Amino acid sequence: MAVTSGTPSQQIFDTATRSLRPFEPLREGHVSIYLCGATPQSHPHIGHLRSGVAFDIVRRWFIAQGYDVAFVRNVTDIDDKILTKAAENNRPWWEWVSTHERAFTRAYDTLGVLPPSVEPRATGHVTQMVDYMRRLIDRGVAYAAEGSVYFDVDAWVRAEGSDYGSLSGNRVEEMEQGEPDNRGKRGAHDFALWKAAKPGEPSWPTPWGDGRPGWHLECSAMSTWYLGPEFDIHGGGLDLQFPHHENEQAQSHAAGDGFARFWMHNHWVTMAGAKMSKSLGNVLSIDAMLEAVRPVELRYYLGSAHYRSVLEYSPEALSEAAAGYRRIEDFVARAGTPEPSTWTDGFAAALFDDFGVPRALAEIHNAVREGNKALAQGDAGAAREIAAGVRAMAAVLGVDPGEWADEASTRGAAEAALDVLVRAELERRAEARAAKDWAVADEVRDRLAAAGIEVTDTPDGPQWALNTAGEKGV
């Protein structure tokens, strides 16, 4: 469906103005989006993936309307937490971050999140960061001190056109940057654009001294490098609103860039009212969730609430969401899985209203009920027509049963083929053990383990499973 002059206006709740605003792209027919992605210090949990799913739906809705969407999702591949975790586990920082970055990529792929147009890494954009710091220093809103470079908050607050604090709603005197290393800082509110090198830490050369990127600078440098000095939408989790996004906006506006025209923030996944986080110990990994439900069912669950609403996790809520998806899946299958057609006006109205997924899902389920009535009455033609619309709507949300059925069929065939091969190896191992040929038995076990296959001996015989917990030694 292409965008036409009669298409209703897209409304987006802009965090910066705290209001619904009509969306018009900077360039006709083109939408530019920057999403703050992973800091891969550990394996992903469902709190991390909620943002990926929420903005994947935003992206799919624009694509479905015929827009060309440039979607940039960064990776923060150098960070205090990464260095700490790597040191605690006695691993090189680059290996640690690469291992967990791959885990995030697998999780995104497993849940059907479309790959970004580009996925830049902080360490690959030091040149752009140096240019950005030079611009800020030349404008008098940044300074070098003892090998670090800081953004001068007071200088920016005094500058004409300053809007510091507007995004988060915080007063400057109440803001805490949360940066323990204060070497050379002039003001308590100043934040690091560049951190001076420390013994044992990775560093890169700059005109002001060797060091590594500050957290906020990287996103301003990467977003404007790929999308231009002004772009349509900047997204991320609500916890990034301050200090990260507030400081991004400050340094970008201070440098003279228009930066993001709309700010969108998704809310958290919570357990017992608390934000899901590593520090609280209430983390649910993607692998653990996929032992309870299928990937498409987990995606359906993570995308089912409005992106600005809290998603409170419970096993019952997850089970209810999975059952809801299966009702859609069952109807489409019974109707013959026709090719997708188009969505209803009610579905479109829901998504035009700040991507209202709950109303959009209600429209899908209303259609499923009508389709089931048609099937009960023997009207297969009407049921197929309704199912075609259901598929079209579900595809916008990334949960089209037809697409996921194809993937499940392919995955099932691969797993069946693997099972034949592994069973043959296990039979060889059993024969070797019966003959007390321990060398051959150990050889088979070690070869399977090296391939990521865990074997468990049970009273019913050996059982095997793929090891999805991560790479050996990490």
Side-chain angles (χ1 to χ4, degrees), residues 284-295:
L284 292 171
S285 72
I286 302 303
D287 289 340
M289 291 294 92
L290 295 180
E291 292 178 4
V293 294
R294 294 177 295 162

Side-chain angles (χ1 to χ4, degrees), residues 433-463:
R433 295 179 73 180
K436 299 189 184 316
D437 189 345
W438 308 119
V440 171
D442 290 346
E443 176 192 339
V444 172
R445 180 201 61 203
D446 294 344
R447 183 162 56 248
L448 291 174
I453 295 168
E454 291 183 345
V455 177
T456 304
D457 291 309
T458 74
D460 298 322
Q463 303 295 319

Side-chain angles (χ1 to χ4, degrees), residues 22 25 77 106 134 210 240 261 264 284 293 305 342 347 349-350 374 393 399 410 417 422 426 443 463:
D77 63 342
R106 285 195 300 271
R134 185 175 287 112
D210 292 356
L240 299 180
R261 300 172 65 243
M264 295 177 65
L284 292 171
V293 294
T342 190
F347 179 86
M393 292 185 284
V399 292
T410 300
V422 174
L426 292 178
E443 176 192 339
Q463 303 295 319

Side-chain angles (χ1 to χ4, degrees), residues 355-369:
F355 310 98
V357 171
R359 285 172 50 205
L361 281 173
E363 191 74 9
I364 292 175
H365 283 287
N366 287 338
V368 167
R369 282 189 287 271

Side-chain angles (χ1 to χ4, degrees), residues 89-157:
N89 289 273
N90 196 30
R91 309 303 301 175
W93 71 271
W94 48 265
E95 179 197 52
W96 187 261
V97 74
S98 296
T99 297
H100 293 99
E101 182 183 342
R102 289 194 297 274
F104 270 85
T105 298
R106 285 195 300 271
Y108 287 131
D109 292 345
T110 298
L111 297 193
V113 174
L114 298 173
S117 306
V118 64
E119 194 166 26
R121 290 152 187 79
T123 57
H125 294 78
V126 171
T127 298
Q128 288 82 2
M129 295 182 211
V130 169
D131 289 343
Y132 225 98
M133 286 187 283
R134 185 175 287 112
R135 290 166 61 190
L136 290 168
I137 290 172
D138 289 347
R139 285 172 171 259
V141 289
Y143 58 91
E146 299 183 31
S148 295
V149 180
Y150 296 98
F151 184 82
D152 191 331
V153 170
D154 288 340
W156 174 234
V157 168

Side-chain angles (χ1 to χ4, degrees), residues 189-436:
H189 304 306
D190 297 351
F191 57 88
L193 301 170
W194 188 258
K195 297 184 176 184
K198 296 179 181 177
E201 288 190 355
S203 63
W204 289 260
T206 77
W208 309 282
D210 292 356
R212 58 184 175 87
W215 180 25
H216 317 303
L217 178 65
E218 64 179 81
C219 284
S220 289
M222 290 187 288
S223 61
T224 55
W225 176 255
Y226 290 100
L227 299 177
E230 186 175 16
F231 53 92
D232 291 313
I233 297 170
H234 193 314
L238 185 63
D239 53 330
L240 299 180
Q241 191 173 344
F242 181 84
H244 187 46
H245 288 168
E246 185 74 73
N247 290 345
E248 272 190 67
Q249 177 175 267
Q251 65 201 9
S252 301
H253 287 177
D257 291 338
F259 207 54
R261 300 172 65 243
F262 286 79
W263 286 89
M264 295 177 65
H265 290 92
N266 65 278
H267 218 308
W268 305 321
V269 177
T270 61
M271 292 178 65
K275 177 198 167 195
M276 189 169 293
S277 69
K278 295 286 184 186
S279 60
L280 292 177
N282 57 1
V283 172
L284 292 171
S285 72
I286 302 303
D287 289 340
M289 291 294 92
L290 295 180
E291 292 178 4
V293 294
R294 294 177 295 162
V296 64
E297 294 166 349
L298 180 56
R299 180 192 168 102
Y300 180 97
Y301 168 69
L302 291 175
S304 59
H306 192 280
Y307 75 92
R308 288 193 289 115
S309 299
V310 171
L311 182 62
E312 174 71 10
Y313 172 78
S314 71
E316 295 77 16
L318 179 62
S319 178
E320 182 179 340
Y325 174 75
R326 288 194 292 270
R327 286 193 290 271
I328 299 171
E329 182 182 49
D330 179 64
F331 163 64
V332 169
R334 291 171 60 222
T337 317
E339 288 299 309
S341 58
T342 190
W343 49 78
T344 66
D345 290 342
F347 179 86
L351 292 185
F352 279 129
D353 184 12
D354 194 33
F355 310 98
V357 171
R359 285 172 50 205
L361 281 173
E363 191 74 9
I364 292 175
H365 283 287
N366 287 338
V368 167
R369 282 189 287 271
E370 291 302 312
N372 281 328
K373 287 180 183 178
L375 286 173
Q377 294 166 0
D379 192 345
R384 285 183 63 82
E385 184 176 343
I386 293 171
V390 167
R391 281 198 65 188
M393 292 185 284
V396 172
L397 305 183
V399 292
D400 173 16
E403 291 183 3
W404 282 93
D406 291 343
E407 182 172 318
S409 176
T410 300
R411 186 170 59 249
E415 289 175 352
L418 179 60
D419 184 65
V420 170
L421 297 174
V422 174
R423 291 292 172 193
E425 285 290 278
L426 292 178
E427 288 177 11
R428 182 170 176 243
R429 175 173 173 261
E431 291 170 358
R433 295 179 73 180
K436 299 189 184 316

